[in-house]
Structures are given as structure tokens and as C-alpha cells.
Amino acid sequence: MHTPETLRALVRDVIERTPVYDMHTHLYDPAFGELLLWGIDDLLTYHYLIAEGFRWLEMPAEKFWALPKSGQAELIWNALFLEHSPLSEACRGVLTVLHALEIDARPRDLPALRQHFKKWTAAGFTTRVMEKANVRQVCMTNSPFDATERAVWDRGFNRDPRFRAALRIDPLLLDWENSAPLLRAWGYDVSPELNPRTFDEVRRFLADWTRRIDAQYCMVSLPPDWSFPADGATAQLIEHAIMPHGREHGQAFAMMIGVRRGVNPQLRMAGDSLGPGEVESVERLCAAFPGNKFLCTMLARENQHALCVAARKFRNLHIFGCWWFLNTPSLIEEITRMRLELLGVSFTAQHSDARVLDQLIYKWAHTREVLTRVLVEKYATLAAASWEPGRAEIEGDVHDLLGGGLEKFLTH
Ligand code: RAT
Ligand code: ZN
């Protein structure tokens, strides 16, 4: 029989020891060189922190952007760590990282922090961080529309098996007008009007990239007003290119819904916001294409309950993560508790969305803390009905929640 203390210790231990498959990040295989961000200046210039820094900075945005990365980092450090306490989730994250790496931040000395990172190479640091974070594999976000990234795939390199790939196609689905000429330039016989020949050629493009990068899924982020079915290019391309492509290659389509890009363009990447999306469109897609697999996360808190209900209705839908503005302890807790109550463990509790390698440490440490709280509470309710969870049972559940369930969903 568990006491509350033994139960908590057991659940915490299992959660800490279970390696994660992090199914959505913006990290890169070290072979991508400069594209893989790491170290204190990249941590401080994370766009989540830039948005927070701008709440205090008085300089025009253009002046900030004209500074070198170290200058930007210094302004953020001063505004968010020295002049005020670093209480926000993104600020706290930097401190969790430094603490875990045994870097003493107490003197509050940025140049000294920089020195600590000098001793690592990208390759060595990757291993160190993944071990600390207990992450077994991460999925990158790979866009054929990104010229820098494309050049690396063109050159070719030896893949690091810890870095999986996902085919990210926002421009294709959201900006057909400008994507069609690019596809043409890359040798695909598409026309601006969407017709059968064009759909076939888009499928050939998707198939080529799927094979080339070994894409685990095809991903897109969508605005709140995205709707399906619809007349526009987005819905047409989904129906006539993405769906048949997904069936042919056994590839899931991952939708990240609810982002409003460039609400404040002056902030650049930090200027995106959110809005509630249409869960009904997700349901209609799942119903119309039972032979396709869908992954979905939504950005608005208001959508979380309906999205859980949608997942109860469609076994070809797997929901994942507490995305972006939802990746804060209080919201992770609320969402994870609700998902467990409605779906058991048939969802993926979290993805890190890390853009800087070091962030794997804090994103997963903070999620693990919350998951421990919620699962202890839930197992205690089972124990109260004399269903004592055994270690192996808890291990299976946690494995599923931390990426293992997704892997099964993708392969079955
Ligand atoms: O969370 C983020 O870092 C956002 O900027 C987005 O990248 C978002 O996660 C996305 O993949 O579009
Ligand atoms: Zn992302």
C-alpha cells in the first residue's frame, strides 16, 4: 500500500527517469552549424524574452534590431533580470538552465556567464543538454522554403539519429501565390490555378522532401480563422495534395492552430499573437479522411476542452503539447489534468518548442514538475478506490505521455 509520500516519490522517479521524445522543436542537428542555437546570448534573445523585454525598453524597435546579438542580450538581461525579478516562465527558464549546468548566476554577471559556455563545442553541448534534460530524440522543424536550411540538405550530411525531421510547409498552404513560382523554379510543373496536374506536382514535391529528410510528419501552423472545407487554396491543397500524400506515405498531418502572425510587426518574430480557432474544422477533416492520421495542438486556452472532446470522437486524431503561450506551469497543469480526465493517457503531454538547445533542460524540467503533481493526484484517486498503481504501469503511462504514445500512433 502506498502512502502519499511513497506514491509521490514513485511517480516523480518514473517521470524523471523516462526519456522524452520531443515531437516539436526548432532545434537542428549539429551538422546544420550556425542554425543550431545555444549558449547564454541565444537564451537571452529568445523571442519569448524579447517580447517581455520590450515591455520595459524605451528605444525604438529598429535600434534594438540593429544591435549585435550580444548587445540585444545585454539589454534583455538588464531589463528582465537586473532591474526586475525574473519571475516570468521564460525568464525562470534561463535560471533553471544555468542552475542545471552548474553555472553560478548569483553574481548576476553576464560576461562571466558567457565565459562558462566557452568550454563547450556544439557536439559536446548537445550530448550534455540531452542527458541533463533526459530527452532521447527531438524532432526538428524543417522547411524546404528556408534557403539556409535547404542548402544544408542539398550539400548532404550524416544524420545524427537523435534529430528527427518534420516537413514544415506553412508557405505552401498559406501563401500559394508566392510558393507556386518557387515550386516551378525547383522543377515542379505547377500552375497558379489549382488543377489536377498542379495537385500531382505538389504531391511529388511533398514525396521528394518526405524521402529526402525522412519526415516523421507534415506540419503547418494555421490562423484562428482557418476553416475546412473551404474554397481557398489552403483547404484545396489540404484535400487534394496533403491528404492523398499522407495516405500514400502513411504520414500524419500535424496542425498547429490559432496563431495570428505579425500582430506587432515591429517586434518581428516576437510580434505574433493568438486567437481561438475552429475545432469543428478539425473534426470535419478527421471525419472526411478516416484513412489519414492527424496531430493537433491549439494555441488558445478556450479551445482546449473542445479539442479533447474531438479526440474522444476520432481515433485518427492525436492531440499534443501546451503550445507557446500555454507553456506556463499554471496552464500546463490545467490542460494536462483536463486531458487526463477526458482521454486517459492517449495524448502527448508536451513538446518543448525549444529554439535554443539549452532550453530543452528547462522546458522539460518544468513540465516534469507539473506532470508529477497532476499524476500523483490522479493515481491517488485510483488508490483511494483500492487500485494501487504499480511501477511498471506508471512507467507505461509516462512513456506514452512523453512521446511513446505518439510513436505508436504514427506506426500503427
Ligand atoms: O513557439 C514558438 O517558438 C513560435 O515562434 C512558433 O515557432 C511556433 O511554435 C511554430 O512552430 O509556429
Ligand atoms: Zn514551434
Side-chain angles (χ1 to χ4, degrees), residues 41 45 67-75 110 114:
D41 287 299
T45 51
L67 292 170
K69 191 192 286 176
S70 57
Q72 296 176 358
E74 202 171 307
L75 288 173
L110 180 55
R114 289 188 174 121

Side-chain angles (χ1 to χ4, degrees), residues 241-282:
I242 307 288
M243 292 298 103
H245 163 78
R247 286 193 300 277
E248 189 180 334
H249 293 265
Q251 187 186 69
F253 180 44
M255 297 169 286
M256 307 177 76
I257 306 172
V259 55
R260 286 193 298 133
R261 301 277 178 200
V263 166
N264 183 353
Q266 288 200 337
L267 296 189
R268 301 194 183 171
M269 206 206 277
D272 299 341
S273 188
L274 83 173
E278 267 186 43
V279 177
E280 296 85 340
S281 287
V282 177

Side-chain angles (χ1 to χ4, degrees), residues 82-155:
L82 301 187
E83 289 158 22
H84 310 89
S85 290
L87 290 166
S88 76
E89 173 63 8
C91 283
R92 176 193 166 214
V94 175
L95 300 180
T96 300
V97 168
L98 297 174
H99 185 69
L101 294 173
E102 290 158 37
I103 296 173
D104 187 4
R106 285 173 304 178
R108 290 155 168 70
D109 179 352
L110 180 55
L113 295 178
R114 289 188 174 121
Q115 282 308 316
H116 283 285
F117 285 87
K118 292 236 161 81
K119 60 178 175 283
W120 280 300
T121 59
F125 195 58
T126 302
T127 300
R128 173 108 178 107
V129 166
M130 290 185 75
E131 277 171 11
K132 271 271 167 220
N134 198 10
V135 170
R136 57 188 162 93
Q137 282 180 314
V138 304
C139 193
M140 306 179 274
T141 294
N142 303 101
S143 173
F145 296 90
D146 179 313
T148 320
E149 175 172 351
R150 219 186 139 84
V152 181
W153 291 111
D154 284 345
R155 251 196 336 268

